Amino acid sequence: MNVFEKQNSPAQAFERLLAIMDDLRAQCPWDKKQTLETLRHLTIEETYELSDAILEGDMQEIKKELGDLMLHLVFYSKIGSETNAFNITDVCNGICEKLINRHPHIYSDVVAETEEQVKQNWEQIKLKEGNKSVLGGVPSSLPAMIKAFRIQEKVRGVGFDFEEKHQVWEKVEEELQEFKAEFNVVDHIEIDKEKAEAEFGDLLFSLINYARFININPEDALEKTNRKFIKRFQYLESKASELNKSLQDMTLAEMDVFWNEAKRI
């Protein structure tokens, strides 16, 4: 295959990528040195870049980042093939077999007419495949908020969940009161930091659970708030700069004027 020619079919385009990967692994000094371990942190970075592009709604950037991630998947498979551990064909066939097995409502005679039924079937099938726990598939290295959300999704798949959203909110209020009992906002009594931290964790977990129950992704929600705060704070910084002032020299009341302006933009 001529790697300089663009291809029109998915199969040919993928073959082109594989051919380029073979060339790079054989000839490029940097690519020849890479291992599964050295690529790992780069893959994490690429995943976050894709996440940023998705939140920005930038379709061209999403396309680019998907290509970067696809390169990594091909790279890992190439490295695996060099020790006969696995190759790209094994990887593709493996995920095909998994998808067929976990969608018996498509490829067999199981009935699943709702998203919830599909999720319940999925978790039951994973247990039959050898998972010792419903939570066994939740990566330990996930960021805590995403991990909490995934834990809650997993246990819902086997029926361990509240039935009504008011029950979930009651749990939030219960956890808030328990946190306030450990961290009294009125007096200045020194708190038991370990207990307060535990109660705060419970409160966050219950809020994440409520968000999940009403179909809000808490990670996306918090990231959008982060971006909103950054935009407003940078507006505040630019206005202070126009006045030849540093933020340290401004009163909170002065800063609030520009902050409120930023909120209206």
Side-chain angles (χ1 to χ4, degrees):
M1 173 178 285
N2 183 349
V3 298
F4 296 102
E5 291 182 0
K6 287 186 178 181
Q7 303 298 320
N8 294 321
S9 76
Q12 289 174 325
F14 194 62
E15 286 286 350
R16 182 187 183 203
L17 177 58
L18 295 177
I20 292 172
M21 184 72 257
D22 288 343
D23 290 343
L24 297 182
R25 189 65 172 169
Q27 301 174 42
C28 174
W30 185 88
D31 289 281
K32 286 195 288 186
K33 288 182 62 177
Q34 300 314 304
T35 66
L36 299 177
E37 290 75 17
T38 61
L39 287 175
R40 175 181 171 274
H41 75 281
L42 297 175
T43 307
I44 294 171
E45 182 179 329
E46 294 293 354
T47 303
Y48 277 107
E49 289 179 1
L50 173 60
S51 175
D52 287 345
I54 292 170
L55 288 176
E56 292 290 340
D58 187 333
M59 298 305 290
Q60 289 303 309
E61 194 67 16
I62 291 171
K63 180 182 73 172
K64 181 178 90 59
E65 297 302 341
L66 285 172
D68 290 344
L69 265 183
M70 191 173 295
L71 170 62
H72 280 238
L73 302 182
V74 168
F75 210 151
Y76 287 122
S77 299
K78 177 64 177 177
I79 294 171
S81 72
E82 292 167 356
T83 59
N84 295 317
F86 58 86
N87 58 34
I88 191 64
T89 304
D90 299 326
V91 172
C92 290
N93 280 329
I95 187 59
C96 288
E97 295 298 327
K98 179 189 286 187
L99 290 172
I100 291 170
N101 186 51
R102 293 190 182 177
H103 290 79
H105 53 290
I106 303 296
Y107 299 105
S108 186
D109 56 0
V110 172
V111 176
E113 297 178 346
T114 67
E115 179 185 1
E116 281 304 314
Q117 289 175 323
V118 171
K119 288 180 179 179
Q120 290 171 7
N121 286 345
W122 185 280
E123 295 303 336
Q124 292 299 327
I125 291 168
K126 288 177 70 174
L127 288 174
K128 290 178 182 177
E129 289 175 347
N131 281 14
K132 295 181 179 179
S133 168
V134 168
L135 301 178
V138 180
S140 59
S141 58
L142 275 179
M145 181 176 291
I146 300 174
K147 185 190 292 187
F149 190 79
R150 291 295 291 137
I151 287 170
Q152 293 162 3
E153 282 191 320
K154 291 283 187 181
V155 299
R156 179 175 178 79
V158 293
F160 188 76
D161 201 4
F162 291 98
E163 294 180 351
E164 302 290 341
K165 69 177 181 180
H166 71 84
Q167 297 172 313
V168 192
W169 186 250
E170 287 168 3
K171 185 63 176 174
V172 171
E173 293 182 323
E174 175 189 327
E175 296 296 352
L176 177 60
Q177 292 305 315
E178 290 180 5
F179 173 61
K180 286 177 68 177
E182 293 298 336
F183 189 8
N184 194 311
V185 296
V186 178
D187 60 40
H188 300 286
I189 299 173
E190 186 173 348
I191 66 170
D192 185 323
K193 196 168 184 179
E194 187 173 335
K195 287 184 178 179
E197 181 182 62
E199 295 298 345
F200 187 68
D202 291 347
L203 175 58
L204 282 178
F205 193 87
S206 64
L207 278 169
I208 292 167
N209 198 31
Y210 187 74
R212 177 191 59 82
F213 212 84
I214 60 174
N215 296 317
I216 291 174
N217 186 303
E219 177 71 18
D220 290 347
L222 182 57
E223 179 55 20
K224 287 174 182 176
T225 294
N226 288 339
R227 289 168 181 248
K228 179 170 61 179
F229 184 93
I230 289 169
K231 182 180 179 181
R232 291 175 180 175
F233 191 80
Q234 289 176 339
Y235 177 87
L236 167 60
E237 288 177 316
S238 69
K239 287 298 182 180
S241 178
E242 289 176 10
L243 296 174
N244 294 317
K245 285 188 174 184
S246 68
L247 294 182
Q248 291 87 342
D249 296 331
M250 297 176 68
T251 66
L252 186 57
E254 289 174 316
M255 288 190 280
D256 275 343
V257 172
F258 296 127
W259 183 264
N260 289 326
E261 283 182 14
K263 289 169 68 175
R264 293 192 292 271
I265 295 175

